[in-house]
Each structure stands twice: as C-alpha cells, then as structure tokens.
Amino acid sequence: MRPVPRLHHEHAERRVGAFRILYVCTGGVCRSPMAERLTRHELTLRLGGDAETEISVESAGTWGHEGAPMETHAAEILAEFGADSTGFVGRELLDDHVIEADLVLTATRDHRAQVISMGHDAGLRTFTLKEFTRLVRAIDPATLPDSIGPGALSERARVLVRAAAALRGWLLAASPEADEVDDPYGAPLGMFRNCGEEIFDALDPIVTALTGVSRVRV
C-alpha cells in the first residue's frame, strides 16, 4: 500500500485574521444556510462567545435568491438543533465571496465545479461538504498545530485544509453521489429533517478537527 501523504503546518498558506468558511448550494436558502447556522452553533458550543472572532461562517447560492429569507422548513429544522436562524439574508455567490474564503464547502460536485471555475486559486480550498468530512477523518490530529493561543486556531484550520487537499487524490468516495447533499427545496418537512441530519453528521467531525474540541454529548 502506498503511504498517505502528510502535510505539516510549516507548509500552510500564510493568510491572516479569522478563518473564513463559505457554504455554497443552489438557491442559498436551504442547504447552505442550514450548514452555516449549524456550524456557527457548534463553534459557539465548543469555543464560547468568541467563536465568530476566530472562525467566520457564511453562505451563498450559485443561483442565490439575493435578499431572500431562509426557507421556512430549513429554519424550523435549525430550531430543532438549537441553532439560530434569525437575521439570515440570502446571497448570490460572487467572486469576492470566493476570494475571501479560506474554505469553501459545497452541497454537490456541480457547485464545487462552479466555484473552482470562478478562478481565484479556489481549487485547493474547495470541496463538497461530505468530501471534506471524508478527508478530514483520515487526517491524524497529531499532525495539526495546537489551537490554543493568538492566531493558533486559524493556523490549525488552514493546515487542515491543506492536508485535506493533499489527500484528495488518494482517498476516493465509494461513489460520486456519496459526496453530495440532495436539495430538499419544495419537499415536506421530513425531507428537510433528513437533510439537516445529513449536514450535521458531516460537519460535526469537521468542527472537531478545526477546533481540536470534541462535542459534548448529552
């Protein structure tokens, strides 16, 4: 078996400031906002009130409903997780969103392709959500820098992205569809609940890897 490449933090991209995550779907009112707000919720649970100063989380849609509220069922599912949907405003994906993001996580492979096609050296920091989860699970946490101290969390997160990118050609999905989250738009509440659970199950190990803090199980 060929050895799995390991990437250490001295090779990480040298960006500064808060680490920025961008979730992308089609309309920007269902999947990506659920992922955005669930991630924010989980970060706050693990990092406390200063979470947003360390990691910024936003969303947009490739055919985004600019200025639109979150889909009602999506907001209801967020409430079931204890996450906050207030103040959400839909956005259409723009070049600046991609340029500013340290990590872009998309619902499907088509969304990933659209983001990468925008340029801005997005290829190494753009994944589908479930693809990134699959890669993150294969990364030894001991190879990541510590998350404690000024700027340490951002450095750890950027190293994680580079390590996942290095693994992409080595670890393949069981099927292409396994890396995708289907669109629940227009579906009954139960389908949104399934989608919310799928998104949460995917992002939980990502947040753990980013922060070095596991979720407290109750």
Side-chain angles (χ1 to χ4, degrees), residues 130-208:
K130 294 172 74 174
E131 173 192 19
F132 194 64
T133 301
R134 175 169 51 78
L135 298 172
V136 162
R137 289 185 186 276
I139 296 169
D140 182 355
T143 65
L144 301 175
D146 192 79
S147 60
I148 299 174
L153 187 61
S154 294
E155 181 185 3
R156 178 188 176 95
R158 292 182 177 106
V159 170
L160 182 70
V161 173
R162 290 293 297 263
L167 286 172
R168 182 153 30 197
W170 297 73
L171 301 177
L172 303 179
S175 67
E177 294 75 20
D179 277 344
E180 302 195 331
V181 177
D182 291 335
D183 191 356
Y185 187 76
L189 181 62
M191 293 293 291
F192 274 83
R193 184 171 293 111
N194 291 341
C195 182
E197 292 173 352
E198 186 176 6
I199 290 170
F200 177 82
D201 288 345
L203 67 82
D204 182 33
I206 293 173
V207 177
T208 297

Side-chain angles (χ1 to χ4, degrees), residues 60-216:
T62 55
W63 290 87
H65 302 301
E66 187 73 28
M70 191 182 303
E71 210 281 345
T72 302
H73 286 340
E76 188 170 344
I77 297 306
L78 287 177
E80 293 181 2
F81 280 94
D84 186 10
S85 63
T86 59
F88 175 82
V89 178
R91 304 190 306 172
E92 184 174 359
L93 181 66
L94 301 176
D95 288 84
D96 283 348
H97 301 150
V98 176
I99 292 169
E100 294 168 1
D102 295 289
L103 172 62
V104 184
L105 297 175
T106 70
T108 70
R109 292 168 296 146
D110 282 346
H111 298 132
R112 183 184 64 194
Q114 289 180 62
V115 171
I116 293 173
S117 73
M118 294 171 73
H120 316 301
D121 298 319
L124 291 177
R125 51 193 167 90
T126 303
F127 310 78
T128 75
L129 169 61
K130 294 172 74 174
E131 173 192 19
F132 194 64
T133 301
R134 175 169 51 78
L135 298 172
V136 162
R137 289 185 186 276
I139 296 169
D140 182 355
T143 65
L144 301 175
D146 192 79
S147 60
I148 299 174
L153 187 61
S154 294
E155 181 185 3
R156 178 188 176 95
R158 292 182 177 106
V159 170
L160 182 70
V161 173
R162 290 293 297 263
L167 286 172
R168 182 153 30 197
W170 297 73
L171 301 177
L172 303 179
S175 67
E177 294 75 20
D179 277 344
E180 302 195 331
V181 177
D182 291 335
D183 191 356
Y185 187 76
L189 181 62
M191 293 293 291
F192 274 83
R193 184 171 293 111
N194 291 341
C195 182
E197 292 173 352
E198 186 176 6
I199 290 170
F200 177 82
D201 288 345
L203 67 82
D204 182 33
I206 293 173
V207 177
T208 297
L210 286 170
T211 62
V213 181
S214 298
R215 192 174 201 268
V216 176

